[in-house]
Amino acid sequence: MAASRALAKVVRLGSHSIHRSRILKFNGLQRRGIAACIDPSLGLTDEQKEFQKVAFDFAANEMAPHMAEWDQKEIFPVDAMRKAAQLGFGGIYVNPDVGGSGLSRLDTSIIFEALSTGCVSTTAYISIHNMCAWMIDTFGNNEQREKYCPDLCSMQKLASYCLTEPGSGSDAASLLTSAKLQGDHYILNGSKAFISGGGDTDVYVVMCRTGGKGPKGISCLVVEKETLGLSFGKKEKKIGWNSQPTRAVIFEDCAVPVTNRLGAEGEGFNIAMKGLNGGRINIASCSLGAAHAAVLLARDYLCVRKQFGETLSNSQYLQFKLAEMATKLVASRLMVRQAALSLQEGRPDAVALCSMAKLFVTDECFSICNQALQMHGGYGYLKDYAVQQYLRDIRVHQILEGTNEVMRMIIARSLLAES
Amino acid sequence: MSARVLVGVKRVIDYAVKIRVKPDHTGVVTDGVKHSMNPFCEIAVEEAVKLKEKKLVKEVVAVSCGPQQAQGKEIDLQIISNKRMTVGFILQETIRTALAMGADRGIHVEVSGKDYETLGPLQVSKILAALAKKEEANLIILGKQAIDDDCNQTGQMTAALLDWPQGTFASEVTMDRDMLKVVREIDGGLETIKIKMPAVLTADLRLNTPRYATLPNIMKAKKKKITTVKPGDLGVDVSSRLEVLNVEEPPQRLAGVKVETVDDLVGKLKEAGKI
């Protein structure tokens, strides 16, 4: 586990003491998350602490050392993700009878939060993959579950979630990709935009129109990569999330067997939204991990950088700023964990709470990372320092899985529905 | 092979934590500080589990010595966690980690308060020796040393008390019926010895790379048994023969001095009494 691997690295570097290396940029040791009041293991059960420990160790050893390279070279780290899947991270909240780990939403949030400190972009993709695996597990029939879930849980096959189209983002229910029934196949025509993993993944969970207009006409189909009529657009150039490829997914008379439909016709939108509730908690958890790492990086930088004859940590302004960052971090963490609890218990406020958590946490954590970058001064702007990657990677969390504006719509609707 | 392996695991301050000396200089600050399993103990557990997977040993038992107290204050904060709360003893976290890695059951030797603060290799080795007899173990695997006290004594003392052969600083272990071939890392290089079981091994860094516990194994570990036993039950006296007088931080590193010529350097070294 992390300790022996890290020790082995330190010993091979020569007889340097562990504390000597104050290398700011990529100190895997920092990622262990040691800072009393913002310790993410406070209040967890023993078992959850064990899960978290494995995730932190995996992030520090297998992801953090490669985070920058994956970003700069735009590498999709399938091997690292398969290693994660061997530990059970491929289908965290999927049923064990099809290869999942059967954990709760709260356990999942804790795990993604810890993994995210190693690489936000990769963890976010793993969470999308998990969401797809769960959708098939929950809404699929036994044949579909047994056909797809085991490979997805081991990450032998990777999945993508296809809802957004060039013409329908926030207005998801207005999607146009059509699926016309012909014998025992649906013929798909249309295109999806901004699909994470698109082109490099094997299983596509596609929301398409089998019926009339609006949400009730949408169904959910599982499309495999080798299907005729399925093609992909160019790989998009993004400012972050570079360790996962993003492409348009194009359907041209693409024939998909009716047996690949999850649930009944017209249930697709419902399935998509239910998947997104958990997805929103997962994305918020990824933001949390990045913010946590950023706070630790900022704190350590303040203790080292000297100006005006003393370390920055002596400046009251910066102390106050750090305190605000820590407070926002803990508040965000509580929101996400509460939302996760609500979802796993099936409480009536679950949907609104997940939306509130996503809205609040993605915004706050971005502001935390932004502030952390500012504290680094000019160095924060250099790609040699990790803080900028955290910032770039979590910026998109305020946009996808439902923009933060759509989150407000959901919350307002929940409040006004009673009157 | 019907061998039973006893693996000692110690709960120490996490290797990544910055150590601070207590203001009264009686020790280091441990309250509220992150703890985890000693890295060399992780390697020991991994080796034991590997032997079990090769079907060379029948059972792996993880042992740890420590206080009885439950996780006191942390229980209040568990309001927001899910209902599967278990009031665990702090020490048992370490044993559970060993169980999650593949050990079959755990033994928690209760040592609390002052006894725990002064617990050292002599006391632990007496406990391990007594347990080895009680559990009829054929093999004891320990980490070569703990990263908090760096004693590097427990394995050796345990072997002496039991009058068993020892293979310390092991970087490779092969078992053949009741013989163990151990490659040891010594100052001069690598030494290979052959010892007969029952024996004591201590794990060095390069013996193996400990596995990550998998999520399913962590959940299975919950169901594995941890029995509690007191040193008195084993007939062991844990009172310490040592008294810690003072604990200090290492002296601050002083600035160096630049010299112009080799003669200056030689002069300065002579002044400092180094040559």
Side-chain angles (χ1 to χ4, degrees):
Chain A
M1 287 194 261
S4 337
R5 276 171 232 257
L7 264 188
K9 277 193 208 127
V10 172
V11 166
R12 276 179 213 126
L13 281 175
S15 53
H16 297 160
S17 85
I18 293 172
H19 303 300
R20 177 190 178 275
S21 49
R22 278 233 175 240
I23 308 166
L24 294 173
K25 307 178 248 177
F26 285 123
N27 196 336
L29 305 181
Q30 246 101 7
R31 301 275 161 73
R32 300 273 289 188
I34 323 283
C37 63
I38 58 170
D39 191 336
S41 65
L42 292 173
L44 298 181
T45 64
D46 280 350
E47 201 185 44
Q48 286 165 337
K49 284 187 194 171
E50 280 294 326
F51 297 146
Q52 189 183 58
K53 184 168 181 302
V54 178
F56 260 126
D57 287 350
F58 187 84
N61 289 317
E62 310 287 338
M63 294 167 82
H66 309 291
M67 180 173 130
E69 191 193 357
W70 290 343
D71 171 64
Q72 298 200 17
K73 295 193 184 157
E74 296 187 15
I75 297 172
F76 191 34
V78 181
D79 289 331
M81 291 195 291
R82 288 213 172 114
K83 268 195 192 163
Q86 274 171 11
L87 301 182
F89 295 151
I92 302 178
Y93 47 113
V94 171
N95 252 301
D97 69 338
V98 283
S101 303
L103 298 188
S104 70
R105 299 304 184 131
L106 180 56
D107 299 332
T108 309
S109 166
I110 291 162
I111 290 170
F112 284 141
E113 185 188 342
L115 281 179
S116 196
T117 57
C119 178
V120 176
S121 168
T122 309
T123 308
Y125 173 73
I126 295 176
S127 79
I128 292 172
H129 174 92
N130 267 268
M131 177 171 71
C132 295
W134 174 82
M135 284 161 73
I136 299 177
D137 177 41
T138 310
F139 298 102
N141 55 38
N142 277 328
E143 287 84 51
Q144 291 162 335
R145 291 173 74 235
E146 275 158 34
K147 182 174 182 197
Y148 295 111
C149 291
D151 281 338
L152 290 179
C153 291
S154 67
M155 284 194 169
Q156 259 314 108
K157 298 220 163 103
L158 296 170
S160 285
Y161 175 91
C162 305
L163 175 65
T164 301
E165 297 181 358
S168 59
S170 292
D171 189 8
S174 70
L175 63 85
L176 293 175
T177 299
S178 62
K180 291 207 169 51
L181 187 59
Q182 261 184 37
D184 58 356
H185 278 69
Y186 285 110
I187 309 298
L188 267 63
N189 274 293
S191 65
K192 296 291 183 184
F194 299 131
I195 302 307
S196 300
D200 288 345
T201 52
D202 313 284
V203 174
Y204 295 82
V205 181
V206 181
M207 267 48 74
C208 47
R209 194 165 297 286
T210 49
K213 286 212 300 205
K216 294 265 162 58
I218 296 173
S219 302
C220 181
L221 292 177
V222 177
V223 184
E224 294 177 47
K225 186 174 180 196
E226 301 76 32
T227 314
L228 276 175
L230 180 67
S231 61
F232 305 98
K234 73 176 196 339
K235 184 170 165 188
E236 308 286 7
K237 295 199 217 68
K238 312 187 292 286
I239 60 165
W241 270 35
N242 286 321
S243 76
Q244 23 165 323
T246 306
R247 294 191 177 88
V249 176
I250 303 158
F251 305 98
E252 290 167 301
D253 291 331
C254 177
V256 178
V258 172
T259 48
N260 279 23
R261 191 189 65 225
L262 291 183
E265 272 196 17
E267 282 185 355
F269 195 70
N270 209 17
I271 294 174
M273 292 304 110
K274 290 215 164 101
L276 282 181
N277 284 330
R280 285 166 188 162
I281 295 178
N282 297 341
I283 286 294
S285 307
C286 292
S287 288
L288 273 182
H292 179 85
V295 169
L296 292 180
L297 286 171
R299 179 202 60 178
D300 291 334
Y301 184 80
L302 293 182
C303 293
V304 170
R305 173 74 174 176
K306 277 186 172 167
Q307 286 287 271
F308 305 112
E310 48 178 21
T311 52
L312 296 186
S313 57
N314 283 332
S315 149
Q316 193 179 55
Y317 178 80
L318 292 175
Q319 289 170 355
F320 282 8
K321 274 286 168 203
L322 195 64
E324 284 163 23
M325 287 158 68
T327 308
K328 284 182 189 174
L329 178 64
V330 176
S332 302
R333 192 175 285 146
L334 287 173
M335 267 228 82
V336 174
R337 291 185 179 176
Q338 188 66 6
L341 263 180
S342 173
L343 187 62
Q344 74 194 31
E345 289 173 11
R347 296 204 317 235
D349 63 349
V351 174
L353 219 48
C354 291
S355 306
M356 287 180 182
K358 197 261 187 191
L359 166 62
F360 184 80
V361 174
T362 52
D363 279 346
E364 289 301 315
C365 289
F366 183 76
S367 132
I368 290 171
C369 286
N370 199 22
Q371 184 59 47
L373 192 150
Q374 183 74 6
M375 285 174 164
H376 277 72
Y379 294 105
Y381 208 60
L382 303 182
K383 285 201 169 172
D384 304 289
Y385 287 74
V387 69
Q388 45 77 38
Q389 189 174 337
Y390 286 122
L391 186 73
R392 285 185 292 110
D393 279 344
I394 67 170
R395 178 59 182 88
V396 73
H397 295 192
Q398 297 167 279
I399 299 172
L400 41 64
E401 306 242 355
T403 58
N404 285 3
E405 289 74 21
V406 169
M407 296 303 103
R408 290 174 168 91
M409 276 166 57
I410 296 174
I411 299 162
R413 195 184 307 153
S414 158
L415 286 165
L416 295 172
E418 292 171 31
S419 62
Chain B
M1 246 281 48
S2 59
R4 177 175 290 131
V5 186
L6 226 55
V7 182
V9 295
K10 187 178 181 186
R11 180 175 180 263
V12 298
I13 296 180
D14 190 282
Y15 75 89
V17 170
K18 189 163 194 311
I19 309 291
R20 285 174 305 142
V21 175
K22 283 204 274 218
D24 61 4
H25 293 275
T26 54
V28 300
V29 177
T30 53
D31 272 344
V33 169
K34 194 174 178 97
H35 283 65
S36 49
M37 192 194 287
N38 182 36
F40 295 108
C41 297
E42 282 178 8
I43 298 175
V45 174
E46 174 66 21
E47 197 60 24
V49 174
K50 274 209 168 104
L51 288 173
K52 194 176 91 153
E53 284 171 349
K54 289 189 203 150
K55 301 223 188 334
L56 293 167
V57 304
K58 181 188 65 174
E59 196 187 27
V60 176
V61 184
V63 181
S64 197
C65 307
Q68 214 256 349
Q69 81 249 32
Q71 277 160 304
K73 298 171 205 130
E74 293 192 33
I75 300 176
D76 303 324
L77 296 173
Q78 276 170 356
I79 304 167
I80 55 165
S81 71
N82 59 31
K83 308 237 165 65
R84 280 180 291 147
M85 290 191 316
T86 40
V87 177
F89 300 129
I90 302 177
L91 188 82
Q92 295 195 355
E93 268 175 34
T94 315
I95 303 180
R96 293 250 171 250
T97 307
L99 296 175
M101 284 173 75
D104 298 295
R105 58 185 169 91
I107 300 178
H108 170 186
V109 182
E110 265 181 47
V111 180
S112 304
K114 200 77 180 64
D115 283 340
Y116 182 60
E117 281 169 43
T118 58
L119 196 68
L122 183 58
Q123 292 78 19
V124 174
S125 53
K126 287 183 187 171
I127 292 171
L128 288 175
L131 272 174
K133 294 206 189 99
K134 180 164 180 271
E135 297 288 332
E136 293 173 353
N138 316 79
L139 186 58
I140 299 180
I141 310 184
L142 306 172
K144 73 170 180 183
Q145 66 196 59
I147 60 171
D148 52 4
D149 54 22
D150 278 341
C151 282
N152 191 344
Q153 298 170 2
T154 309
Q156 292 84 340
M157 285 178 171
T158 311
L161 288 170
L162 288 166
D163 200 24
W164 286 4
Q166 54 183 268
T168 52
F169 306 102
S171 68
E172 199 187 308
V173 173
T174 347
M175 191 187 278
D176 181 17
R177 270 162 305 167
D178 63 344
M179 297 296 286
L180 285 167
K181 188 176 95 172
V182 183
V183 178
R184 305 179 57 227
E185 293 201 9
I186 60 173
D187 291 342
L190 295 174
E191 180 194 53
T192 310
I193 59 170
K194 228 176 178 175
I195 54 176
K196 196 157 184 276
M197 278 166 61
V200 175
L201 296 174
T202 69
D204 206 326
L205 192 63
R206 281 162 277 273
L207 179 59
N208 58 48
T209 309
R211 64 194 62 194
Y212 295 112
T214 65
L215 298 184
N217 282 346
I218 293 172
M219 292 190 293
K220 280 191 212 141
K222 250 194 335 184
K223 304 200 181 85
K224 294 181 181 172
K225 272 189 64 176
I226 300 181
T227 44
T228 324
V229 61
K230 291 196 163 61
D233 302 338
L234 301 167
V236 172
D237 164 28
V238 287
S239 56
S240 178
R241 288 17 176 198
L242 301 172
E243 188 193 330
V244 174
L245 298 175
N246 190 46
V247 177
E248 293 275 357
E249 286 213 4
Q252 285 279 30
R253 212 177 146 183
L254 297 166
V257 176
K258 265 188 166 157
V259 292
E260 296 294 307
T261 70
V262 175
D263 288 329
D264 281 347
L265 177 61
V266 173
K268 284 249 183 273
L269 286 173
K270 282 198 170 140
E271 255 174 62
K274 300 293 179 189
I275 53 170

